Amino acid sequence: MRKVCLIIILLSVLFLHLTENAFAQKTLFYDSSQDFYSSKTDFSENYSCNLDELEELSISLSKQKKFTDLEVVYNKCIEIYPNIPYLYNNRANLYKMLKKYDLALIDYEKSISLDKNYKSPYLGKASLFVVTSKEDEAIEILNGIIKRYPNEASAYYYKGLALFFKNDKENALKNFTLAIKYAKDTIRSAYYYRGNLYAFYKEDYKKALADYTKCINIAKKNSINHIHLTSSAEVYENRAIAYYKLGDYNNMIKDFLQAIVLYEKEGDFAKTQEIKELLEN
């Protein structure tokens, strides 16, 4: 009982820290339609490469985290086929993940110049602007996409992120909800960010718990197309906080222990130590 009481006191401090930082930090988020192997069905007839093989190679190299090799692959493809929009889009997605933001922007714009009706580079460019703190530019692009494609889940998701980082919590919540409505469980991080808003803004811990749980369950059925994912460790950590606020201390401890395991796998030993010290007191 004494151990649980001490944990509860420490969690009160941790909760305040998370509340202050929940809307200020930008983490990797799931890029729903911006996977490296996003494609168009009407590519040029002179394209001699087998698209399925390129997808398989992209997936294999990505899962092995051989991103330098993957960059070489797309460089070679673009050298041979310089007029295929989706190759530039895919390389831009890779550059964005590698934080080569200037190169990513050049490739997105090149992709758009080759096919102004190709939606993916517009979404990619908007997400790039979100990552680089150009939220207003991102929202302008996304509003245009939503006007043309009112059921485009990714546009609502990125708009939700832009509003989230602008601290417009209410409208961010609305856009994450629309993203979830249209995405059919393909945008895992929409549940994570909406869960954060329910927990740290609305203080509706039951809804937060439901969203974190949904996020975790989608991860358990993770498809090979899910490259950009919110850290599972963060989801378990925040769900532990939700359990704490709801008075479920057993599940709180279970989630903190799972977060430790996942943070260790991710190499985030500072977070691992922080939670260990919390549970050991």
Side-chain angles (χ1 to χ4, degrees):
M1 177 61 70
R2 178 176 176 275
K3 182 175 181 180
V4 171
C5 290
L6 285 169
I7 289 173
I8 292 171
I9 293 169
L10 289 166
L11 275 171
S12 297
V13 177
L14 178 60
F15 177 77
L16 290 173
H17 173 72
L18 288 173
T19 301
E20 291 173 355
N21 290 281
F23 308 110
Q25 297 178 356
K26 295 187 179 181
T27 58
L28 280 178
F29 49 83
Y30 173 53
D31 237 337
S32 65
S33 65
Q34 297 299 303
D35 294 324
F36 304 141
Y37 29 87
S38 170
S39 63
K40 288 195 69 180
T41 56
D42 58 341
F43 51 84
S44 173
E45 291 181 0
N46 69 353
Y47 184 60
S48 60
C49 294
N50 186 296
L51 181 60
D52 291 333
E53 290 181 1
L54 181 59
E55 289 186 9
E56 184 178 351
L57 180 59
S58 296
I59 293 166
S60 175
L61 292 174
S62 298
K63 290 175 73 173
Q64 296 175 68
K65 298 185 178 181
K66 294 183 177 180
F67 300 120
T68 300
D69 291 347
L70 186 56
E71 184 177 353
V72 170
V73 169
Y74 276 103
N75 288 345
K76 288 182 177 179
C77 286
I78 287 171
E79 183 179 353
I80 299 170
Y81 307 105
N83 296 315
I84 298 178
Y86 85 84
L87 291 176
Y88 291 96
N89 177 73
N90 294 356
R91 189 173 68 176
N93 294 332
L94 176 59
Y95 282 147
K96 181 176 60 181
M97 195 200 67
L98 295 174
K99 299 183 180 181
K100 298 180 179 181
Y101 298 134
D102 291 341
L103 292 176
L105 182 59
I106 290 170
D107 270 5
Y108 284 133
E109 290 180 342
K110 178 64 174 179
S111 182
I112 290 169
S113 73
L114 290 170
D115 187 349
K116 290 181 172 55
N117 293 315
Y118 183 23
K119 181 173 57 177
S120 290
Y122 290 101
L123 288 166
K125 192 173 175 180
S127 70
L128 177 64
F129 285 150
V130 173
V131 172
T132 54
S133 301
K134 297 177 180 178
E135 290 89 357
D136 291 334
E137 290 93 329
I139 290 170
E140 183 178 357
I141 294 172
L142 294 165
N143 284 340
I145 295 173
I146 290 169
K147 183 176 180 180
R148 187 171 181 182
Y149 305 99
N151 296 341
E152 177 53 59
S154 298
Y156 290 110
Y157 173 65
Y158 293 132
K159 187 176 178 181
L161 282 173
L163 292 164
F164 185 92
F165 293 124
K166 279 172 66 71
N167 211 26
D168 186 348
K169 304 182 185 75
E170 197 65 41
N171 283 314
L173 183 61
K174 291 177 183 177
N175 277 272
F176 286 135
T177 298
L178 286 168
I180 288 167
K181 175 183 177 181
Y182 294 120
K184 299 179 180 178
D185 292 347
T186 58
I187 305 181
R188 175 192 173 205
S189 287
Y191 288 99
Y192 171 73
Y193 282 107
R194 192 175 71 169
N196 284 349
L197 286 166
Y198 281 140
F200 303 114
Y201 170 51
K202 294 289 190 180
E203 297 187 3
D204 188 334
Y205 302 107
K206 288 184 179 179
K207 286 185 178 179
L209 182 64
D211 273 0
Y212 292 142
T213 300
K214 185 70 175 181
C215 186
I216 288 167
N217 289 340
I218 292 172
K220 290 178 180 178
K221 297 184 287 187
N222 182 23
S223 74
I224 55 176
N225 286 337
H226 287 214
I227 300 298
H228 297 290
L229 289 171
T230 301
S231 164
S232 291
E234 291 179 359
V235 184
Y236 277 101
E237 182 183 10
N238 286 9
R239 192 173 71 167
I241 295 295
Y243 276 129
Y244 154 67
K245 299 298 287 189
L246 292 169
D248 187 342
Y249 303 127
N250 288 330
N251 279 318
M252 173 198 73
I253 292 172
K254 288 178 183 178
D255 271 6
F256 272 133
L257 291 174
Q258 183 62 25
I260 288 172
V261 171
L262 294 172
Y263 276 131
E264 286 179 341
K265 287 183 179 179
E266 294 171 8
D268 192 339
F269 300 111
K271 287 294 298 184
T272 298
Q273 188 60 32
E274 178 185 330
I275 298 174
K276 283 183 176 179
E277 289 176 359
L278 174 70
L279 295 177
E280 287 171 358
N281 285 319

Coordinates of all heavy atoms in Angstrom, one line a residue, residues 172-173 176-178 180-181 185 187-199 202 204-219 230 234-236 238-239 242-243 246 255:
A172 N -8.3 20.9 -33.4 CA -7.5 19.8 -33.6 C -8.3 18.5 -33.3 O -8.3 17.5 -34.1 CB -6.2 19.8 -32.8
L173 N -9.0 18.5 -32.2 CA -9.8 17.4 -31.8 C -10.9 17.1 -32.9 O -11.1 15.9 -33.2 CB -10.5 17.7 -30.5 CG -11.4 16.6 -29.9 CD1 -10.5 15.4 -29.5 CD2 -12.1 17.1 -28.6
F176 N -9.0 15.4 -35.9 CA -8.6 14.0 -35.6 C -9.8 13.1 -35.7 O -9.7 12.0 -36.1 CB -7.9 13.9 -34.3 CG -6.5 14.5 -34.3 CD1 -6.1 15.3 -33.2 CD2 -5.6 14.2 -35.3 CE1 -4.8 15.9 -33.2 CE2 -4.3 14.7 -35.3 CZ -3.9 15.6 -34.2
T177 N -10.9 13.6 -35.2 CA -12.2 12.8 -35.2 C -12.6 12.5 -36.6 O -13.0 11.4 -37.0 CB -13.3 13.5 -34.4 OG1 -12.9 13.6 -33.0 CG2 -14.6 12.7 -34.4
L178 N -12.5 13.5 -37.5 CA -12.8 13.3 -38.9 C -11.9 12.3 -39.6 O -12.2 11.5 -40.4 CB -12.9 14.6 -39.6 CG -14.1 15.5 -39.3 CD1 -13.8 16.9 -39.9 CD2 -15.3 14.9 -39.9
I180 N -10.3 9.9 -38.1 CA -10.6 8.6 -37.7 C -11.9 8.1 -38.4 O -12.0 6.9 -38.7 CB -10.8 8.6 -36.1 CG1 -9.5 8.7 -35.4 CG2 -11.5 7.3 -35.6 CD1 -9.5 9.1 -34.0
K181 N -12.8 9.0 -38.6 CA -14.1 8.6 -39.3 C -13.8 8.0 -40.7 O -14.4 7.0 -41.1 CB -15.0 9.8 -39.4 CG -16.3 9.6 -40.2 CD -17.1 10.8 -40.3 CE -18.4 10.6 -41.1 NZ -19.2 11.9 -41.2
D185 N -9.3 2.9 -39.5 CA -8.3 2.4 -38.7 C -6.9 2.3 -39.3 O -6.1 1.5 -39.0 CB -8.7 1.0 -38.1 CG -9.8 1.0 -37.2 OD1 -10.1 2.2 -36.7 OD2 -10.4 0.0 -36.9
I187 N -5.0 5.1 -39.8 CA -4.1 6.2 -39.2 C -4.0 6.0 -37.7 O -4.8 6.6 -36.9 CB -4.6 7.6 -39.6 CG1 -4.7 7.7 -41.1 CG2 -3.6 8.6 -39.1 CD1 -5.2 9.0 -41.6
R188 N -3.1 5.2 -37.3 CA -3.0 4.8 -35.9 C -2.8 6.0 -35.0 O -3.4 6.2 -33.9 CB -1.9 3.8 -35.7 CG -1.6 3.5 -34.3 CD -0.3 2.7 -34.2 NE 0.1 2.5 -32.8 CZ 1.3 2.4 -32.4 NH1 2.3 2.4 -33.2 NH2 1.6 2.2 -31.1
S189 N -2.0 6.9 -35.4 CA -1.6 8.1 -34.5 C -2.7 9.0 -34.3 O -2.7 9.8 -33.4 CB -0.4 8.8 -35.1 OG 0.8 8.0 -34.9
A190 N -3.7 9.0 -35.2 CA -4.9 9.9 -34.9 C -5.5 9.6 -33.6 O -6.0 10.5 -32.9 CB -5.9 9.7 -36.0
Y191 N -5.6 8.3 -33.2 CA -6.1 7.9 -31.9 C -5.2 8.3 -30.8 O -5.7 8.8 -29.7 CB -6.3 6.3 -31.9 CG -7.4 5.8 -32.7 CD1 -7.2 5.3 -33.9 CD2 -8.7 5.9 -32.2 CE1 -8.2 4.8 -34.7 CE2 -9.8 5.4 -33.0 CZ -9.5 4.8 -34.2 OH -10.6 4.3 -34.9
Y192 N -3.9 8.3 -31.0 CA -2.9 8.7 -30.0 C -3.1 10.2 -29.7 O -3.2 10.6 -28.6 CB -1.5 8.4 -30.5 CG -0.5 9.0 -29.6 CD1 -0.2 8.4 -28.3 CD2 0.3 10.1 -30.0 CE1 0.8 9.0 -27.5 CE2 1.3 10.6 -29.2 CZ 1.5 10.1 -27.9 OH 2.5 10.6 -27.1
Y193 N -3.1 11.0 -30.8 CA -3.2 12.5 -30.5 C -4.6 12.9 -30.0 O -4.7 13.7 -29.1 CB -2.9 13.2 -31.8 CG -1.4 13.3 -32.1 CD1 -0.8 12.6 -33.1 CD2 -0.6 14.1 -31.4 CE1 0.5 12.6 -33.4 CE2 0.8 14.2 -31.6 CZ 1.3 13.5 -32.6 OH 2.7 13.5 -32.9
R194 N -5.6 12.2 -30.5 CA -6.9 12.5 -29.9 C -7.0 12.1 -28.5 O -7.6 12.8 -27.6 CB -8.0 11.8 -30.7 CG -9.4 12.4 -30.3 CD -10.5 11.8 -31.2 NE -10.8 10.4 -30.9 CZ -11.9 9.7 -31.4 NH1 -12.7 10.3 -32.2 NH2 -12.0 8.5 -31.1
G195 N -6.4 10.9 -28.2 CA -6.3 10.5 -26.8 C -5.6 11.5 -25.9 O -6.0 11.8 -24.7
N196 N -4.5 12.1 -26.4 CA -3.8 13.1 -25.6 C -4.7 14.3 -25.4 O -4.7 14.9 -24.3 CB -2.6 13.6 -26.4 CG -1.4 12.6 -26.3 OD1 -1.5 11.6 -25.5 ND2 -0.4 12.8 -27.1
L197 N -5.5 14.7 -26.4 CA -6.4 15.8 -26.2 C -7.5 15.5 -25.2 O -7.8 16.3 -24.3 CB -7.0 16.2 -27.5 CG -6.1 16.9 -28.5 CD1 -6.7 17.0 -29.9 CD2 -5.8 18.4 -28.0
Y198 N -8.0 14.3 -25.3 CA -9.0 13.9 -24.3 C -8.4 13.9 -22.8 O -9.0 14.3 -21.9 CB -9.6 12.5 -24.6 CG -10.6 12.5 -25.6 CD1 -10.6 11.4 -26.6 CD2 -11.6 13.4 -25.7 CE1 -11.6 11.4 -27.6 CE2 -12.6 13.4 -26.7 CZ -12.6 12.4 -27.7 OH -13.5 12.3 -28.6
A199 N -7.2 13.4 -22.7 CA -6.5 13.3 -21.4 C -6.1 14.6 -20.8 O -6.4 15.0 -19.7 CB -5.4 12.3 -21.5
K202 N -9.3 17.8 -22.3 CA -10.7 17.6 -21.9 C -10.8 17.0 -20.5 O -11.8 17.0 -19.8 CB -11.4 16.7 -22.9 CG -11.7 17.4 -24.2 CD -12.7 18.5 -24.2 CE -13.1 19.0 -25.5 NZ -14.1 20.1 -25.5
D204 N -11.0 13.9 -20.0 CA -12.0 12.8 -20.2 C -11.1 11.5 -20.3 O -10.8 11.1 -21.4 CB -12.8 13.0 -21.4 CG -14.0 12.0 -21.5 OD1 -13.8 10.9 -21.0 OD2 -15.0 12.3 -22.1
Y205 N -10.8 10.9 -19.2 CA -9.9 9.8 -19.2 C -10.4 8.5 -19.7 O -9.7 7.7 -20.2 CB -9.3 9.7 -17.7 CG -8.6 10.9 -17.3 CD1 -9.3 11.7 -16.3 CD2 -7.5 11.4 -17.8 CE1 -8.7 12.9 -15.9 CE2 -6.9 12.6 -17.4 CZ -7.5 13.3 -16.5 OH -7.0 14.5 -16.1
K206 N -11.7 8.4 -19.6 CA -12.3 7.2 -20.2 C -12.2 7.2 -21.7 O -11.9 6.2 -22.4 CB -13.8 7.1 -19.8 CG -14.0 6.7 -18.4 CD -15.5 6.5 -18.0 CE -15.7 6.1 -16.6 NZ -17.1 6.0 -16.3
K207 N -12.4 8.3 -22.3 CA -12.3 8.4 -23.8 C -10.8 8.3 -24.2 O -10.5 7.7 -25.2 CB -12.9 9.8 -24.3 CG -14.4 9.8 -24.3 CD -14.9 11.0 -25.0 CE -16.5 11.0 -25.0 NZ -17.0 12.3 -25.6
A208 N -9.9 8.9 -23.4 CA -8.5 8.8 -23.6 C -8.1 7.4 -23.6 O -7.3 6.9 -24.5 CB -7.7 9.7 -22.6
L209 N -8.5 6.7 -22.6 CA -8.2 5.2 -22.4 C -8.7 4.4 -23.6 O -7.9 3.6 -24.2 CB -8.9 4.7 -21.2 CG -8.6 3.2 -20.8 CD1 -7.1 3.0 -20.5 CD2 -9.4 2.8 -19.6
A210 N -9.9 4.7 -24.1 CA -10.4 4.0 -25.3 C -9.5 4.3 -26.5 O -9.2 3.4 -27.3 CB -11.8 4.4 -25.6
D211 N -9.1 5.5 -26.7 CA -8.3 5.9 -27.9 C -6.9 5.3 -27.8 O -6.3 4.7 -28.8 CB -8.2 7.4 -28.0 CG -9.3 7.9 -28.8 OD1 -10.2 7.2 -29.3 OD2 -9.4 9.2 -29.0
Y212 N -6.2 5.3 -26.6 CA -4.9 4.7 -26.5 C -5.0 3.2 -26.7 O -4.1 2.6 -27.3 CB -4.4 4.9 -25.1 CG -4.0 6.4 -24.8 CD1 -4.3 6.9 -23.5 CD2 -3.5 7.2 -25.7 CE1 -4.0 8.3 -23.2 CE2 -3.1 8.5 -25.4 CZ -3.4 9.1 -24.2 OH -3.1 10.4 -23.9
T213 N -6.1 2.6 -26.2 CA -6.3 1.1 -26.4 C -6.5 0.8 -27.9 O -5.9 -0.2 -28.4 CB -7.5 0.6 -25.6 OG1 -7.2 0.9 -24.2 CG2 -7.7 -0.9 -25.8
K214 N -7.2 1.6 -28.6 CA -7.4 1.4 -30.0 C -6.1 1.5 -30.7 O -5.8 0.7 -31.6 CB -8.4 2.4 -30.5 CG -8.8 2.2 -32.0 CD -9.6 1.0 -32.2 CE -10.1 0.9 -33.6 NZ -10.9 -0.3 -33.9
C215 N -5.3 2.5 -30.4 CA -4.0 2.7 -31.0 C -3.1 1.5 -30.8 O -2.4 1.0 -31.7 CB -3.4 4.0 -30.3 SG -1.8 4.5 -31.1
I216 N -3.1 0.9 -29.6 CA -2.3 -0.2 -29.2 C -2.8 -1.4 -30.0 O -2.0 -2.2 -30.6 CB -2.4 -0.5 -27.7 CG1 -1.5 0.6 -27.0 CG2 -1.8 -1.9 -27.4 CD1 -1.7 0.6 -25.5
N217 N -4.1 -1.6 -30.1 CA -4.7 -2.8 -30.8 C -4.4 -2.7 -32.3 O -4.1 -3.8 -32.9 CB -6.2 -2.8 -30.6 CG -6.5 -3.3 -29.2 OD1 -5.7 -3.8 -28.5 ND2 -7.8 -3.0 -28.7
I218 N -4.4 -1.5 -32.9 CA -4.0 -1.4 -34.3 C -2.6 -1.8 -34.5 O -2.2 -2.4 -35.5 CB -4.3 0.1 -34.8 CG1 -5.8 0.4 -34.8 CG2 -3.7 0.2 -36.2 CD1 -6.1 1.8 -35.1
A219 N -1.7 -1.4 -33.6 CA -0.3 -1.7 -33.7 C -0.1 -3.2 -33.6 O 0.8 -3.8 -34.3 CB 0.5 -1.1 -32.5
T230 N 3.7 6.4 -34.3 CA 4.0 7.0 -33.0 C 4.6 5.9 -32.1 O 4.2 4.7 -32.2 CB 2.6 7.4 -32.4 OG1 2.1 8.4 -33.2 CG2 2.9 8.0 -31.0
E234 N 5.3 5.4 -25.9 CA 4.6 6.6 -25.4 C 3.1 6.3 -25.2 O 2.5 6.9 -24.3 CB 4.7 7.7 -26.5 CG 6.1 8.3 -26.6 CD 6.2 9.3 -27.7 OE1 5.2 9.6 -28.3 OE2 7.3 9.9 -27.8
V235 N 2.5 5.5 -26.1 CA 1.1 5.2 -25.9 C 0.9 4.4 -24.6 O -0.1 4.7 -23.9 CB 0.6 4.3 -27.1 CG1 -0.9 4.1 -27.0 CG2 0.9 5.0 -28.4
Y236 N 1.7 3.4 -24.3 CA 1.5 2.7 -23.1 C 1.8 3.6 -21.9 O 1.1 3.5 -20.8 CB 2.5 1.5 -23.0 CG 2.0 0.3 -23.7 CD1 2.5 0.0 -25.0 CD2 1.1 -0.6 -23.1 CE1 2.0 -1.1 -25.7 CE2 0.6 -1.7 -23.8 CZ 1.1 -2.0 -25.1 OH 0.6 -3.1 -25.7
N238 N 1.2 6.9 -21.7 CA 0.1 7.8 -21.5 C -1.2 7.0 -21.1 O -2.0 7.5 -20.3 CB -0.2 8.6 -22.8 CG 0.9 9.6 -23.0 OD1 1.9 9.7 -22.3 ND2 0.6 10.5 -24.0
R239 N -1.3 5.8 -21.5 CA -2.4 5.0 -21.1 C -2.3 4.7 -19.6 O -3.3 4.6 -18.8 CB -2.6 3.7 -21.9 CG -4.0 3.0 -21.6 CD -4.2 1.8 -22.5 NE -3.4 0.7 -22.2 CZ -3.6 -0.5 -22.7 NH1 -4.6 -0.8 -23.5 NH2 -2.8 -1.5 -22.4
A242 N -3.7 7.5 -17.8 CA -5.2 7.4 -17.9 C -5.7 6.5 -16.8 O -6.7 6.8 -16.1 CB -5.7 7.1 -19.3
Y243 N -5.0 5.3 -16.7 CA -5.4 4.3 -15.7 C -5.3 4.9 -14.3 O -6.1 4.7 -13.4 CB -4.6 3.1 -15.8 CG -5.1 2.1 -16.8 CD1 -4.2 1.5 -17.8 CD2 -6.4 1.6 -16.8 CE1 -4.7 0.6 -18.7 CE2 -6.9 0.7 -17.8 CZ -6.0 0.2 -18.7 OH -6.4 -0.7 -19.7
L246 N -8.0 7.2 -13.5 CA -9.3 6.4 -13.3 C -9.2 5.5 -12.0 O -10.2 4.8 -11.7 CB -9.6 5.6 -14.5 CG -10.0 6.5 -15.8 CD1 -10.0 5.6 -17.0 CD2 -11.3 7.1 -15.6
D255 N 1.1 -1.2 -17.6 CA 1.4 -0.4 -18.7 C 2.7 0.3 -18.6 O 3.5 0.5 -19.6 CB 0.3 0.7 -19.0 CG -0.8 0.1 -19.9 OD1 -0.8 -1.1 -20.2 OD2 -1.7 0.9 -20.3

